[in-house]
Amino acid sequence: MLNASLFPQSGATVAVVNPLAGADHQIAGWFHAHLSQAFVNILRVLSEPGAAEWIGVVLFVAAILLVWKRAWPALATIIIAVPGGMLLNELLKLAVHRHRPFLDGWFVDWSGYSFASGHTIGATLLYGQLLLFVLPVIKSKRRQRLAILFAAMLVMLVGFSRIALGAHYLSDVIAAIFLGSVWLMICALLLRSMQRTIVVPVAIPVEEPRPASVATADIVRELSR
């Protein structure tokens, strides 16, 4: 099922085709009809790893560690990747102007717009960037796979919780994961270029002075020829 949503952009009306419109409304409606107090409490806990407050705490700790290690390119990258990507997502929300699936209800406490999911893109950016930092340090392939699985599960659980709570449609979450992944790739290329511009000190061999006795013997030998 295709659905065209209209929103103003630069004074004109632009039609956006959403191929997931049918699934969006069916999934949102099913969860909205089957939510209970206990389920909502669980979903709110699952949403926390993508909350702005939690992301801010993790970013602060990571920034302190990177400053202590004097890892300036990595510090610049994580600041551009996570807060920068989340800011771009907020601008996207204002541009698309898509309303949330449900605005009224006993558990509804959010504001703003729906596309794309802020919690999901925040989790994608934060845990994806941390994963890019730690993967080169992990030597075991098995532990690398576990780290990737753990980060992916965090992002998926956050996205699922936002859909089930009625804060976002399925397409909002998919778009957030996609946009977050693309932004991380751009930031990874930026980090690589920054590392290449760092001047590595080159060791210049310096001949050690020979003892005076050896130098004197060489001079005498040359004169006697």
Side-chain angles (χ1 to χ4, degrees):
M1 177 178 179
L2 299 180
N3 181 45
S5 58
L6 301 179
F7 59 91
Q9 185 177 16
S10 302
T13 301
V14 180
V16 178
V17 178
N18 177 17
L20 296 177
D24 277 347
H25 293 284
Q26 290 175 6
I27 293 172
W30 188 91
F31 277 113
H32 194 68
H34 292 82
L35 286 178
S36 63
Q37 181 66 63
F39 193 21
V40 167
N41 292 338
I42 294 173
L43 293 173
R44 283 176 172 166
V45 172
L46 295 179
S47 292
E48 280 305 304
E53 297 81 3
W54 173 253
I55 290 176
V57 171
V58 177
L59 271 180
F60 178 76
V61 174
I64 293 297
L65 179 62
L66 293 174
V67 169
W68 180 59
K69 293 289 187 180
R70 298 183 180 274
W72 309 122
L75 178 63
T77 301
I78 197 171
I79 291 175
I80 295 173
V82 184
M86 294 176 71
L87 177 60
L88 290 176
N89 187 66
E90 290 301 314
L91 296 176
L92 179 63
K93 283 187 175 186
L94 293 176
V96 175
H97 214 78
R98 185 185 195 185
H99 293 290
R100 295 182 183 271
F102 298 100
L103 300 175
D104 299 317
W106 56 269
F107 60 89
V108 175
D109 58 356
W110 45 76
S111 59
Y113 297 108
S114 184
F115 187 89
S117 171
H119 277 67
T120 307
I121 198 170
T124 302
L125 295 170
L126 177 63
Y127 305 117
Q129 185 60 63
L130 293 178
L131 183 66
L132 292 175
F133 283 159
V134 302
L135 278 181
V137 181
I138 302 174
K139 303 302 180 183
S140 170
K141 294 294 183 182
R142 179 174 177 272
R143 291 183 179 179
Q144 286 182 345
R145 289 192 290 268
L146 288 175
I148 295 172
L149 179 62
F150 179 72
M153 286 298 297
L154 270 179
V155 174
M156 297 300 291
L157 287 174
V158 170
F160 167 77
S161 68
R162 303 307 288 170
I163 295 172
L165 283 171
H168 293 285
Y169 292 105
L170 172 64
S171 56
D172 298 332
V173 169
I174 293 175
I177 295 174
F178 174 75
L179 294 174
S181 301
V182 171
W183 183 245
L184 283 179
M185 288 189 291
I186 295 174
C187 293
L189 293 175
L190 175 65
L191 175 60
R192 185 175 302 177
S193 62
M194 290 175 64
Q195 290 174 335
R196 287 176 179 174
T197 58
I198 296 176
V199 178
V200 180
V202 179
I204 302 175
V206 179
E207 184 179 355
E208 296 183 0
R210 293 181 295 176
S213 57
V214 177
T216 305
D218 290 343
I219 295 173
V220 172
R221 190 178 300 113
E222 289 293 332
L223 292 175
S224 61
R225 290 181 180 177

